[in-house]
Amino acid sequence: MQCLRPLSITQANVCFPLPVAPSPTTAVHYLATKCVDTVKHHQSTKWFMPWGPNQCDKIRDFDEAMAKKIEANNIVFAVHIPLPNKEMSPWFQFMLVILQFDIAFKMYNQIEDGALATIDVGLAYRDDTLSEWTEMAHSIEQRKLSCNFTTTKTYENEGRYYECDLLPFMELGNVAHKYYLLNIRLPVSERKKINMGIGEIKDIRLVGIHQNGGFTKVWFAMKTFLTPSILIIMVWYWRRITLMTRPPVLLEKVIFALGLCMTFINIPVEWFSVGFNWTWMLLFGDIRQGIFYAMLLSFWIIFCGEHLMDQMERNHFSIYWKQVGPIVFGSFCLFIFDMCERGVQLKNPFYSIWASDVGTELAMAFIIVAGICACLYFLFLCFMVFQVFRNISGKRSSLPAMSKARRLHYEGLIFRFKFLMLVTLTCAAMTVIFFIISQVNEGHWHWGDYTVQVNSAFFTGIYGMWNLYVFAIMFLYAPSHKRYGDEQSSGDAGASGEDIQLTTTITHVDGPTEIYKMTGKEAQE
């Protein structure tokens, strides 16, 4: 964990998770250089470099600017990304930039309630140190200041710094160029009330967050390996179904759809982002993950529902609309929420839904509601698994009437099925935890001093768990042409009167995906 150093003894540290244990992201801190625009009429095409052979005319602070009679409108805050003697890389995948103002307290220039900082910002790039800068984006943005002065507002405390919240500033969906340059202006206009009542800004600090190149390579390699694994088992699974004389049942179709979604999220299209300037990769990744979430959550509902033996109707998707409908609706809301921010950022990387009060409240409410719904879903799934276990226990009374070989066979299947249900519950719990942590991290600088540090092992572990689970489900539920108990004598079957076909992990020809099918007892059941 690395922290921004305190600017005064009254200002708290601002911390970001850095790779102590291997972390998927890295945070780099930048202090803006104050450049002077000496041209009377500002040229939007002129870019100010903070260092290097063509560096700008610089000033140390605003006291020097006042002494030299330099107006605030002629000051440009310049930030070069990355730091000197370093290069950005496409392996970094994305770049998120957070802004923090250093604002000193002055009795005659205090921060007003609801103060808005108007920022005129331009972003440029180049791929070598000799070429000219090319404009990538330009925008005039507003950010609401939320600052707190922890000591008494007296003349003796002038010069101390406000404690200001971090502000979302910029997000790029890929890092296709080696060097980036940010030029930030804070235009002042008393007539238009622009940047009035925002206090005395001393410095601008930025924190650039990007994905680690090493983690990206491991992630790509993992997806490249897992894609053919799931694809092969999926083709094998569907081939086994097509060999059956009956049409596929609902659970088999849902398992195949789950395999398709897992393959869709596995396909390593990210390899192309290393060579192509695809700014939409973050949005595309979110859409893929949202589709997989919807399919996985729906599958668990149908998976448990099809194994509930007290249901009179099975194998009909329509009976699950009350459970699956809210999942689809929630996934659609996730998509709309994502499009409202990352969709707009395809055109304007400085846009943020967190920049306005309404957007912040909606985003915070969405994250909280999404977390609550995820927890409620898990509790409902636990209830369904409990019902399945209760029904299994009720059916075990039929086992003592069987021969020893058949009883041992079915007891083994029951044990393996219970284990699979517990694995399902564990997988669901980890998925819900991962979803909640992902949502919190999405806006972690808006949660005050609370943040969650996630290392690469957690991300790769969850992803590997999903693949292993889907692989196991397709392998265990592939239709089998074997029939257990057919070799038993007819007398033995007649004595028991209960020809039990258990298809927990081996799906039989005439009893697919049902745990028990009691021949001659179905009417009573």
Side-chain angles (χ1 to χ4, degrees), residues 206-227:
L206 301 179
V207 180
I209 303 173
H210 60 79
Q211 189 164 289
N212 285 328
F215 172 77
T216 303
K217 294 175 182 178
V218 172
W219 186 253
F220 285 8
M222 188 175 180
K223 299 189 77 170
T224 304
F225 169 76
L226 290 173
T227 298

Side-chain angles (χ1 to χ4, degrees), residues 162-443:
Y162 286 90
E163 293 184 5
C164 295
D165 290 345
L166 303 173
L167 301 174
F169 187 60
M170 183 186 75
E171 184 170 9
L172 294 178
N174 71 337
V175 188
H177 305 286
K178 294 181 179 180
Y179 307 105
Y180 293 88
L181 180 64
L182 282 166
N183 281 181
I184 304 171
R185 299 175 185 267
L186 299 175
V188 177
S189 174
E190 294 185 12
R191 181 174 61 87
K192 297 181 179 180
K193 302 294 183 181
I194 297 176
N195 283 332
M196 305 301 296
I198 61 173
E200 186 173 308
I201 296 178
K202 293 292 187 180
D203 282 302
I204 293 179
R205 297 178 182 270
L206 301 179
V207 180
I209 303 173
H210 60 79
Q211 189 164 289
N212 285 328
F215 172 77
T216 303
K217 294 175 182 178
V218 172
W219 186 253
F220 285 8
M222 188 175 180
K223 299 189 77 170
T224 304
F225 169 76
L226 290 173
T227 298
S229 302
I230 297 298
L231 187 60
I232 291 172
I233 190 68
M234 186 176 63
V235 172
W236 172 82
Y237 172 79
W238 191 249
R239 180 179 176 274
R240 297 295 293 267
I241 292 178
T242 56
L243 291 177
M244 307 294 289
T245 57
R246 56 168 177 79
V249 296
L250 174 62
L251 185 56
E252 292 170 342
K253 294 177 182 177
V254 172
I255 292 175
F256 183 72
L258 181 64
L260 284 176
C261 292
M262 190 76 256
T263 303
F264 181 55
I265 199 175
N266 277 345
I267 296 175
V269 295
E270 292 85 354
W271 282 110
F272 294 100
S273 66
V274 178
F276 297 94
N277 187 13
W278 287 356
T279 58
W280 44 266
M281 283 304 299
L282 275 181
L283 179 62
F284 181 65
D286 288 346
I287 292 174
R288 288 200 299 175
Q289 189 165 351
I291 292 174
F292 178 74
Y293 271 139
M295 188 65 243
L296 186 62
L297 299 183
S298 301
F299 165 75
W300 282 330
I301 294 294
I302 297 174
F303 178 66
C304 293
E306 288 295 286
H307 288 91
L308 284 177
M309 292 161 292
D310 53 359
Q311 285 187 246
M312 299 305 297
E313 295 183 6
R314 292 195 196 92
N315 200 29
H316 296 289
F317 184 77
S318 58
I319 65 175
Y320 296 103
W321 71 269
K322 291 183 179 180
Q323 295 86 2
V324 176
I327 295 174
V328 175
F329 176 75
S331 300
F332 179 74
C333 292
L334 277 170
F335 172 73
I336 297 299
F337 177 76
D338 218 34
M339 287 298 295
C340 288
E341 183 163 36
R342 284 184 173 159
V344 179
Q345 286 172 349
L346 295 178
K347 293 293 184 181
N348 179 17
F350 302 104
Y351 174 81
S352 175
I353 196 173
W354 301 88
S356 63
D357 289 338
V358 175
T360 299
E361 291 175 0
L362 287 176
M364 291 287 288
F366 181 85
I367 291 175
I368 294 172
V369 171
I372 294 174
C373 290
C375 294
L376 292 176
Y377 170 86
F378 179 71
L379 293 177
F380 178 71
L381 188 65
C382 290
F383 173 72
M384 293 191 70
V385 172
F386 168 75
Q387 286 185 307
V388 172
F389 278 13
R390 183 187 61 183
N391 290 335
I392 290 177
S393 299
K395 298 296 182 178
R396 290 180 66 95
S397 59
S398 303
L399 296 180
M402 299 181 187
S403 65
K404 183 178 180 180
R406 285 168 58 84
R407 185 176 70 252
L408 292 176
H409 168 68
Y410 291 128
E411 285 178 348
L413 290 181
I414 290 173
F415 173 80
R416 290 197 291 273
F417 175 74
K418 285 187 174 182
F419 179 77
L420 179 62
M421 294 300 293
L422 292 177
V423 169
T424 297
L425 214 53
T426 303
C427 185
M430 296 302 296
T431 300
V432 168
I433 293 172
F434 177 76
F435 174 77
I436 293 175
I437 290 179
S438 299
Q439 294 301 313
V440 172
N441 281 346
E442 188 75 16

